[in-house]
Amino acid sequence: MPAVSKGDGMRGLAVFISDIRNCKSKEAEIKRINKELANIRSKFKGDKALDGYSKKKYVCKLLFIFLLGHDIDFGHMEAVNLLSSNRYTEKQIGYLFISVLVNSNSELIRLINNAIKNDLASRNPTFMGLALHCIANVGSREMAEAFAGEIPKILVAGDTMDSVKQSAALCLLRLYRTSPDLVPMGDWTSRVVHLLNDQHLGVVTAATSLITTLAQKNPEEFKTSVSLAVSRLSRIVTSASTDLQDYTYYFVPAPWLSVKLLRLLQCYPPPEDPAVRGRLTECLETILNKAQEPPKSKKVQHSNAKNAVLFEAISLIIHHDSEPNLLVRACNQLGQFLQHRETNLRYLALESMCTLASSEFSHEAVKTHIETVINALKTERDVSVRQRAVDLLYAMCDRSNAQQIVAEMLNYLETADYSIREEIVSYLCFPYFFHSWLWYHKYHLLIRMLHRTSPDLASSEVVSEEPADTVHDADELFHKFVCKNNGVLFENQLLQIGLKSEFRQNLGRMFIFYGNKTSTQFLNFTPTVICSDDLQSSLNLQTKPVDPTVDGGAQVQQVVNIECVSDFMEAPILNIQFRYGGTFQNLSVKLPITLNKFFQPTEMSSQDFFQRWKQLSNPKQEVQNIFKAKHPMDAEITKAKIIGFGSALLEEVDPNPANFVGAGIIHTKTTQIGCLLRLEPNLQAQMYRLTLRTSKEAVSQRLCELLSEQF
Amino acid sequence: MIKFFLMVNKQGQTRLSRYYEHVEINKRTMLEAEVIKNCLSRSKDQCSFIEYKDFKLVYRQYAALFVVVGIDQTENEMAVYELIHNFVEVLDKYFSRVSELDVSFSIMFNLDRVHIILDEMVLNGCIVETNRNRILAPLFVLDKVAES
């Protein structure tokens, strides 16, 4: 029976909830809620002091209203008052409220911390538990300052009750995460390691979570946990199903704890002590063996729990990368899962195999599954599963199978959805593949395929051996940088790339800023600037590599030194690769180093301008373009763009005052090229005619092309 | 770690939400709406793990109710998938529901108790207790106190 009908039921709350459920519209619901908020507000302000039961009832209502999505800006005081009640039910609601609706009011914080202090000192395990839960869920800096010293003591004290130890362990974890400086290592660390031997498995679970995080920053302090974790894991895995009583889940002994212990072991290299190492190997073999045995139960929960442990064990085997026998067995097990009827298992197997592919012991074994993975690419209905298949094909690729894999990826390109298509193209254009498919004369096939399947992915630039952009409006962002030097070049959910550059004569310097937008580190972060052979002879680029690890929220910087040797038509490509979480990221973006960056303005009189204009009358020297305006035809903005382009803006030269005239010189190491331009707007037709005259046809062509995109 | 734990119905109404990292309230409603949209568009051929922004969603459907857990890469997906089931079984045991529909009903009218159960199982984004009897022990005590 639902507790609401029992004595403690708070019938007013039940009635309120019914009212909300019966509301026919969002407006009705909001009206009812506001009515209740007004009611509660008046009760809280009233001169009659509320009894504990009423306070609890109203605080509970506020909590419910908050859940519905309405911000609550009062009630904290009353919730805090409930904390000092001696009744468990009232205290519990008070703690629940302040854990869910965290408030940074300093006066309240002081009162809350006081209540917590009292409850911690009360020696009543239920009250201590509530207080610890609150700290663990809120864990503010103020709480850390108040309690970080005391919690480790509670955790390792002999007379602390098991349930309190559990909460204390995770409480300490929270405080360590938010304020590591306030939780220094000390005597308590070795006692915490011994909690792994506790007979209460809940305590062991909590302790394992704590040690796993602490060990990452302080591996030396917690080294001794390895042998304890191994023996614990070993005992669990070999236990009969009756041994662990309530920690057995559908005939699987303590699955969540096993997963946690395996995770903890992944913080350390393989154990040095041969006895410990032997025991661990035995344990892992047992887990692998159990996967092959007939299941003890037909229920899906049994196999899921068993497989959770299995995948984690495989993860450990891959991490250690030291036992060829185990690695091959892991590979075979994953191979079996690749063809399992459950999509979850196929997905996890593909993901796991990706990491396995980078181990030298198992790389060959992984390659044997190539047909299955290719089949997955073609037949899987879930796009994230197909994505894993693409990642795995890329990871298993080497000289022996590059031709086959590239061919399959090209085939798949025709029918793939847009998101995967971009990834495949970027993989294919990575230098390794670049040389592979050049070698196999697939280059032309790729270009034709790109033109056929995705005209917007391919552009005229691609024909000159550049990888295609992997961002939808990359072209637009690229063109944005033709007339300006600073800004954001690229942004997706993980990464932001910003640019800041300056140019002088035929030299330039570009700062590229890579911002990690996530809270997870990027590993093996490798940005490379790639120029085609033609481009390399005209544009000299020098850069230094950056730090391969980019912390969450951090930004790294790369400097590119630029020298324009002669005029050039193409743009260099910036290719970025890194590991994020379990995935491999590869993207490419055009780097906006364009010919006009080396354009210096030249002032001249009207007479001079027309004289030079006549001199450049050879048809090869002139390039003209008539095009539709992309942006509103504002004269001031147009002038700014021409100046941003690098040209001088010559006033009162053209007899028609609406026309724009410019002049400048392109500086290269080998030559200087004089350039004249004329932009004629037709406001009625919303069109422009742009004419470029320079002494070199290619330069006229390129500048006209670049400038046309700006309007 | 576990970033959040949600129970949302097919109509997009949140029945339970617990965040283990601070998220602004207006961002929560947006997140919950997006999450349920993602889950509703899944078919049986697809796996129970959705890659969403820089973390993963593990979801499981029980009649009209979706339980969705947001995790980062330090969690084992399959273990969290079964944690959800364990949680539902604990709720089932406590509320002794008669039909699928009663689950939603029981949760709404006993939100504080459901929170207690969840808090016994997951603390600070970590799985802490999975033993059904130990999870329900404080609630049985609470009920006894209330009756007296």
Side-chain angles (χ1 to χ4, degrees):
Chain A
M1 284 288 266
V4 78
S5 60
K6 294 192 184 145
D8 190 38
M10 295 185 281
R11 292 208 58 242
L13 175 60
V15 168
F16 173 59
I17 295 174
S18 292
D19 287 349
I20 296 291
R21 286 198 86 192
N22 290 332
C23 281
K24 296 284 191 271
S25 68
K26 193 78 189 167
E27 290 80 35
E29 185 182 296
I30 293 178
K31 202 163 157 205
R32 179 67 186 91
I33 288 173
N34 284 335
K35 179 167 161 218
E36 194 59 43
L37 284 173
N39 176 36
I40 299 175
R41 240 186 270 260
S42 74
K43 285 272 165 33
F44 281 171
K45 282 216 183 80
D47 29 286
K48 247 202 317 180
L50 286 173
D51 68 348
Y53 171 81
S54 304
K55 251 189 264 187
K56 186 185 69 173
K57 183 177 69 174
Y58 294 127
V59 167
C60 224
K61 277 187 184 172
L62 288 177
L63 203 53
F64 182 75
I65 295 171
F66 179 73
L67 175 69
L68 292 173
H70 303 263
D71 211 353
I72 303 291
D73 58 356
F74 71 102
H76 294 88
M77 202 56 214
E78 287 70 19
V80 171
N81 280 337
L82 284 172
L83 295 183
S84 44
S85 162
N86 266 322
R87 294 190 138 170
Y88 175 61
T89 55
E90 288 168 22
K91 207 188 263 285
Q92 197 269 327
I93 295 285
Y95 271 119
L96 182 59
F97 187 94
I98 59 173
S99 304
V100 174
L101 279 107
V102 180
N103 189 292
S104 45
N105 175 315
S106 55
E107 181 56 30
L108 278 176
I109 289 172
R110 196 180 58 80
L111 291 167
I112 292 170
N113 281 357
N114 250 346
I116 291 177
K117 197 156 95 171
N118 290 336
D119 281 328
L120 283 179
S122 71
R123 310 261 90 210
N124 176 328
T126 346
F127 290 1
M128 285 176 86
L130 281 176
L132 289 168
H133 269 239
C134 184
I135 302 173
N137 282 325
V138 173
S140 62
R141 180 88 189 165
E142 293 86 357
M143 282 186 181
E145 281 164 7
F147 303 112
E150 220 183 306
I151 308 293
K153 293 195 199 120
I154 296 176
L155 179 56
V156 301
D159 58 349
T160 308
M161 275 200 68
D162 293 330
S163 58
V164 177
K165 276 197 193 140
Q166 266 178 290
S167 312
L170 290 168
C171 188
L172 189 58
L173 177 57
R174 175 59 183 244
L175 296 181
Y176 183 80
R177 278 204 187 124
T178 50
S179 315
D181 53 317
L182 294 174
V183 186
M185 301 297 113
D187 294 330
W188 56 273
T189 55
S190 53
R191 312 263 279 281
V192 165
V193 169
H194 275 277
L195 289 176
L196 291 175
N197 276 340
D198 201 294
Q199 52 168 336
H200 185 300
L201 292 187
V203 173
V204 181
T205 310
T208 313
S209 298
L210 175 62
I211 296 171
T212 308
T213 303
L214 292 178
Q216 281 170 23
K217 289 273 162 69
N218 313 276
E220 275 305 306
E221 295 272 350
F222 294 94
K223 226 167 42 166
T224 48
S225 62
V226 172
S227 59
L228 289 181
V230 171
S231 52
R232 193 83 222 212
L233 181 66
S234 182
R235 291 207 299 276
I236 293 172
V237 161
T238 52
S239 66
S241 54
T242 47
D243 287 351
L244 296 177
Q245 300 286 343
D246 296 319
Y247 282 94
T248 301
Y249 179 79
Y250 287 92
F251 299 105
V252 182
W256 291 281
L257 177 54
S258 306
V259 164
K260 279 203 189 284
L261 289 167
L262 287 162
R263 263 296 146 156
L264 170 54
L265 291 170
Q266 286 172 62
C267 294
Y268 288 95
E272 287 165 0
D273 185 320
V276 177
R277 193 164 62 236
R279 201 150 178 211
L280 178 59
T281 306
E282 222 175 80
C283 188
L284 293 170
E285 275 173 354
T286 310
I287 296 174
L288 286 167
N289 289 342
K290 282 207 172 155
Q292 296 296 322
E293 286 165 12
K296 290 212 172 74
S297 153
K298 286 224 172 76
K299 293 247 163 99
V300 68
Q301 286 82 1
H302 168 78
S303 52
N304 283 344
K306 205 169 67 165
N307 288 329
V309 179
L310 179 59
F311 274 108
E312 203 62 53
I314 292 178
S315 198
L316 178 60
I317 293 171
I318 297 174
H319 166 80
H320 279 172
D321 199 18
S322 60
E323 300 281 338
N325 172 46
L326 287 178
L327 283 160
V328 170
R329 280 195 71 182
C331 183
N332 291 338
Q333 179 62 69
L334 293 178
Q336 277 179 27
F337 280 144
L338 286 182
Q339 311 200 44
H340 202 276
R341 55 187 171 77
E342 269 189 55
T343 319
N344 285 348
L345 293 177
R346 297 198 304 272
Y347 172 83
L348 293 171
L350 284 167
E351 203 176 42
S352 202
M353 222 180 228
C354 234
T355 353
L356 198 57
S358 49
S359 156
E360 54 169 311
F361 290 121
S362 49
H363 185 81
E364 287 306 312
V366 170
K367 276 162 58 180
T368 60
H369 298 282
I370 187 168
E371 297 298 337
T372 318
V373 182
I374 288 174
N375 189 48
L377 192 62
K378 294 180 180 157
T379 58
E380 286 289 350
R381 302 261 185 101
D382 187 334
V383 65
S384 13
V385 182
R386 290 202 297 274
Q387 205 118 0
R388 295 289 140 259
V390 169
D391 287 344
L392 181 52
L393 282 177
Y394 183 79
M396 66 160 72
C397 185
D398 63 16
R399 285 223 109 82
S400 68
N401 55 20
Q403 186 180 20
Q404 183 186 14
I405 289 181
V406 168
E408 289 298 340
M409 284 211 194
L410 287 173
N411 277 338
Y412 181 61
L413 210 57
E414 265 192 88
T415 51
D417 19 16
Y418 202 72
S419 55
I420 296 203
R421 220 182 270 180
E422 290 171 353
E423 257 189 60
I424 294 186
V425 169
S426 72
Y427 277 152
L428 288 171
C429 295
F430 175 58
Y432 178 78
F433 280 102
F434 194 88
H435 293 300
S436 298
W437 47 251
L438 269 186
W439 190 21
Y440 292 109
H441 308 293
K442 289 275 195 279
Y443 163 61
H444 295 293
L445 173 63
L446 174 68
I447 299 310
R448 268 189 279 132
M449 179 146 278
L450 282 174
H451 277 286
R452 196 166 11 119
T453 60
S454 270
D456 44 326
L457 257 191
S459 66
S460 58
E461 308 283 357
V462 181
V463 179
S464 32
E465 297 176 29
E466 270 170 19
D469 298 304
T470 55
V471 177
H472 292 259
D473 39 34
D475 267 348
E476 213 182 276
L477 280 174
F478 175 81
H479 284 289
K480 197 175 76 173
F481 278 90
V482 167
C483 291
K484 70 168 192 171
N485 287 334
N486 304 332
V488 173
L489 175 65
F490 169 88
E491 188 156 3
N492 67 7
Q493 277 165 355
L494 308 179
L495 177 69
Q496 186 195 66
I497 306 178
L499 288 183
K500 200 165 120 119
S501 24
E502 46 188 358
F503 296 88
R504 205 147 296 175
Q505 308 244 297
N506 75 317
L507 299 173
R509 202 136 78 112
M510 182 177 265
F511 292 88
I512 309 179
F513 302 96
Y514 304 97
N516 181 343
K517 284 170 73 174
T518 74
S519 49
T520 317
Q521 269 185 344
F522 294 159
L523 300 170
N524 308 124
F525 189 79
T526 323
T528 333
V529 182
I530 303 171
C531 294
S532 72
D533 291 333
D534 275 346
L535 185 59
Q536 253 171 29
S537 49
S538 330
L539 193 64
N540 194 356
L541 298 176
Q542 277 167 23
T543 124
K544 285 206 199 82
V546 299
D547 193 325
T549 305
V550 184
D551 285 332
Q555 193 187 62
V556 299
Q557 180 182 303
Q558 186 179 34
V559 183
V560 184
N561 287 325
I562 308 161
E563 183 187 20
C564 178
V565 176
S566 61
D567 55 284
F568 61 97
M569 306 304 132
E570 314 152 20
I573 300 288
L574 179 64
N575 171 273
I576 300 125
Q577 294 181 30
F578 56 98
R579 287 201 71 85
Y580 166 71
T583 66
F584 178 77
Q585 302 290 323
N586 184 337
L587 49 100
S588 294
V589 63
K590 271 198 280 200
L591 206 53
I593 300 174
T594 49
L595 190 56
N596 69 294
K597 297 295 180 188
F598 307 101
F599 202 3
Q600 305 282 251
T602 324
E603 297 289 339
M604 59 179 72
S605 67
S606 174
Q607 214 178 2
D608 286 336
F609 180 85
F610 282 112
Q611 195 178 36
R612 284 170 210 241
W613 189 262
K614 277 217 261 294
Q615 277 170 353
L616 296 166
S617 54
N618 186 322
K620 283 218 175 157
Q621 295 171 320
E622 177 185 283
V623 170
Q624 211 174 66
N625 189 15
I626 297 173
F627 56 96
K628 208 144 178 63
K630 282 204 215 42
H631 306 283
M633 295 170 77
D634 179 316
E636 288 311 310
I637 295 180
T638 306
K639 283 185 192 170
K641 284 187 180 167
I642 293 177
I643 294 173
F645 191 69
S647 166
L649 187 69
L650 306 174
E651 304 273 16
E652 291 175 20
V653 165
D654 195 304
N656 181 344
N659 289 345
F660 306 93
V661 163
I665 301 178
I666 298 280
H667 288 263
T668 76
K669 189 172 175 190
T670 51
T671 57
Q672 323 242 56
I673 304 156
C675 310
L676 304 174
L677 67 93
R678 189 188 198 190
L679 182 68
E680 298 163 89
N682 181 335
L683 279 145
Q684 227 169 0
Q686 289 286 296
M687 296 186 79
Y688 286 103
R689 180 164 70 170
L690 174 64
T691 316
L692 257 296
R693 284 192 182 191
T694 77
S695 52
K696 204 167 169 189
E697 182 186 359
V699 172
S700 304
Q701 172 66 39
R702 183 57 170 155
L703 291 178
C704 187
E705 201 172 84
L706 286 170
L707 195 51
S708 301
E709 291 296 322
Q710 300 303 309
F711 305 107
Chain B
M1 70 176 279
I2 293 176
K3 304 268 186 179
F4 53 81
F5 195 106
L6 302 172
M7 287 179 99
V8 190
N9 72 5
K10 277 196 182 156
Q11 286 77 39
Q13 294 167 307
T14 308
R15 291 288 176 238
L16 174 80
S17 77
R18 195 62 151 128
Y19 288 82
Y20 297 100
E21 255 182 2
H22 183 64
V23 176
E24 312 252 327
I25 187 164
N26 52 343
K27 291 222 171 80
R28 287 185 196 200
T29 24
M30 234 168 55
L31 174 75
E32 285 154 32
E34 263 187 60
V35 159
I36 190 68
K37 206 167 63 156
N38 265 313
C39 292
L40 285 175
S41 61
R42 306 286 283 183
S43 73
K44 284 227 153 43
D45 302 323
Q46 296 176 293
C47 66
S48 320
F49 318 118
I50 305 176
E51 279 152 42
Y52 177 75
K53 297 213 166 126
D54 57 346
F55 47 88
K56 277 195 190 159
L57 302 174
V58 179
Y59 72 96
R60 210 156 172 166
Q61 187 176 359
Y62 295 90
L65 210 59
F66 281 89
V67 183
V68 189
V69 180
I71 56 171
D72 66 10
Q73 81 275 17
T74 62
E75 290 294 330
N76 179 312
E77 293 96 332
M78 206 48 120
V80 173
Y81 188 66
E82 280 307 312
L83 177 76
I84 294 176
H85 191 76
N86 196 13
F87 174 68
V88 170
E89 284 195 338
V90 172
L91 289 183
D92 191 16
K93 176 160 184 187
Y94 182 70
F95 292 111
S96 319
R97 60 119 174 104
V98 173
S99 76
E100 298 278 6
L101 211 55
D102 287 349
V103 174
S104 229
F105 194 84
S106 310
I107 294 169
M108 273 195 94
F109 283 84
N110 298 283
L111 199 58
D112 54 329
R113 287 187 155 66
V114 179
H115 266 283
I116 294 175
I117 290 174
L118 183 57
D119 280 356
E120 288 299 314
M121 294 180 77
V122 181
L123 187 56
N124 183 21
C126 298
I127 300 173
V128 62
E129 184 60 74
T130 52
N131 176 329
R132 201 180 309 177
N133 292 323
R134 288 201 165 132
I135 293 168
L136 290 177
L139 269 182
F140 291 139
V141 167
L142 196 65
D143 290 343
K144 247 205 207 124
V145 165
E147 263 171 52
S148 60

